[in-house]
Amino acid sequence: MQDQFRALLIDRDDEKKQSVQVANISPDQLPDGDVTVRVAASTLNYKDALAITGASPVVRSFPMVPGIDLAGTVDQSSNPAFAPGDRVVLNGWGVGEKHWGGLAEYARLNGDWLIPLESAFTFEQAMSIGTAGYTAMLCIMALERHGVTPESGEVLVTGAAGGVGSIAVAILAGLGYQVAAATGRAEEADYLTGLGAARIVPRADFTEPGKPLAKEQWAGAIDVVGGQMLANVCAGVKYRGTVAACGLAGGMDFPASVAPFILRGVTLAGVDSVMCPVDERREAWRRLARDLDPAVLEPVTTTAALDDCPGLADDLIAGTIRGRIVVPISAD
């Protein structure tokens, strides 16, 4: 390991004023953990942007290295499950919030948080997928568990031009589903149809309070927005359909009625990617290796340098970023 390495560091002074800079870090500053990873690539996610901008109290202790995703090579390990040279990936587990994360050249971690990286993916492809794509696959697996198949009917994806939505659209289309992509950005229509969306639905159709029960349209849905949009999505789901909810970009409230659940037997399946058990994580990544064409990742991905992350965080919060932001850290 190098004597010093670069990391994006969030800190706060005695007056609780937050600062963000790319700093030189020494290995003895790394937190406790039984595996040290040389990070090949990380990402800039919505949660990372909240941490960097301070728009939400995501960071639990200071200083903090953000980055809820990382992929790289084990450098040192006292964990019997991993040896130096192993290719690994990490998503969630409070990394970048409570424990230093992936936007640094090295990360020291609890080995129980790591899983082997599928051989189908390079490090940067793994980060093009990242928590967003892994969450999208968890949502698809939830729909499948509740009996939603391509033959069941159309599946709606909200926030479709974002990270989770883009990957969800691509995977669902590849599996043979008819996908309706909901977005507030009309200019992204060609992008979404290129990913496989059968039609584009304006986000404005869902933003105002609607009836407790609307016309039955969707066999299933993946929602990253929450709030009023989720309430309206549930109201329009077909009898015994399922909504996989994984996000709150539109708010934490849920101004709905019980009507879809007790009159149509609709299931609202919550999907958490942060503390998801390891076996389910491994299955999600196996499914990604099988069901996601890596060629789909190129139009979904923007590459950025570590130094660019603070500025891009503002754009991500503003909702002007398409798809995924990958941050290469070191050579494979």
Side-chain angles (χ1 to χ4, degrees):
M1 183 185 291
Q2 304 166 13
D3 291 338
Q4 288 205 320
F5 59 91
R6 282 165 35 97
L8 186 66
L9 197 68
I10 304 171
D11 210 347
R12 194 165 67 177
D13 63 21
D14 293 340
E15 297 178 355
K16 297 188 177 181
K17 182 179 179 181
Q18 184 166 301
S19 62
V20 183
Q21 63 175 327
V22 176
N24 288 321
I25 302 295
S26 63
D28 59 8
Q29 291 177 266
L30 287 169
D32 292 339
D34 56 4
V35 179
T36 301
V37 177
R38 183 169 186 255
V39 180
S42 186
T43 60
L44 189 67
N45 290 278
Y46 188 77
K47 187 177 286 186
D48 299 317
L50 291 174
I52 290 167
T53 61
S56 181
V58 169
V59 177
R60 309 295 178 86
S61 64
F62 295 88
M64 178 59 60
V65 174
I68 67 172
D69 290 325
L70 65 86
T73 305
V74 173
D75 184 71
Q76 300 173 4
S77 175
S78 60
N79 186 307
F82 296 100
D86 288 349
R87 290 167 18 107
V88 294
V89 63
L90 178 141
N91 310 109
W93 294 116
V95 168
E97 302 172 72
K98 298 180 288 186
H99 188 99
W100 284 16
L103 287 168
E105 292 180 311
Y106 287 90
R108 185 172 292 143
L109 306 151
N110 182 335
D112 294 340
W113 300 339
L114 300 169
I115 63 172
L117 177 60
E118 293 289 324
S119 60
F121 299 124
T122 66
F123 292 126
E124 290 194 19
Q125 285 173 335
M127 291 296 93
S128 291
I129 297 167
T131 282
Y134 148 66
T135 302
M137 181 53 81
L138 291 177
C139 289
I140 292 167
M141 290 162 58
L143 295 183
E144 293 173 342
R145 280 197 302 273
H146 289 90
V148 179
T149 69
E151 293 71 37
S152 301
E154 194 170 44
V155 172
L156 176 71
V157 177
T158 70
V164 175
S166 295
I167 301 293
V169 168
I171 296 172
L172 286 167
L175 291 171
Y177 289 87
Q178 288 289 111
V179 182
T183 182
R185 292 182 265 170
E187 68 274 14
E188 301 290 12
D190 289 344
Y191 165 71
L192 291 167
T193 54
L195 291 176
R199 67 183 179 114
I200 310 300
V201 183
R203 181 175 62 200
D205 290 357
F206 302 89
T207 54
E208 297 299 323
K211 297 178 180 179
L213 286 176
K215 177 183 176 182
E216 295 183 49
Q217 296 187 71
W218 330 108
I222 294 174
D223 177 68
V224 304
V225 179
Q228 187 63 60
M229 190 160 199
L230 176 58
N232 288 335
V233 168
C234 290
V237 172
K238 291 181 179 181
Y239 183 73
R240 302 206 78 173
T242 297
V243 179
C246 66
L248 45 68
M252 290 186 68
D253 59 328
F254 184 46
S257 82
V258 298
F261 312 113
I262 65 173
L263 298 178
R264 290 183 181 163
V266 169
T267 296
L268 179 57
V271 174
D272 164 59
S273 62
V274 177
M275 304 303 291
C276 180
V278 168
D279 287 349
E280 195 166 342
R281 289 170 182 265
R282 287 176 178 263
E283 178 60 19
W285 278 94
R286 282 193 290 264
R287 287 288 305 276
L288 286 160
R290 188 189 80 184
D291 296 331
L292 178 64
D293 180 356
V296 168
L297 297 171
E298 185 174 347
V300 172
T301 304
T302 301
T303 300
L306 191 63
D307 298 274
D308 297 333
C309 289
L312 287 170
D314 291 320
D315 296 334
L316 196 53
I317 295 294
T320 59
I321 299 292
R322 168 203 285 180
R324 303 278 296 138
I325 301 175
V326 172
V327 185
I329 303 291
S330 59
D332 288 10

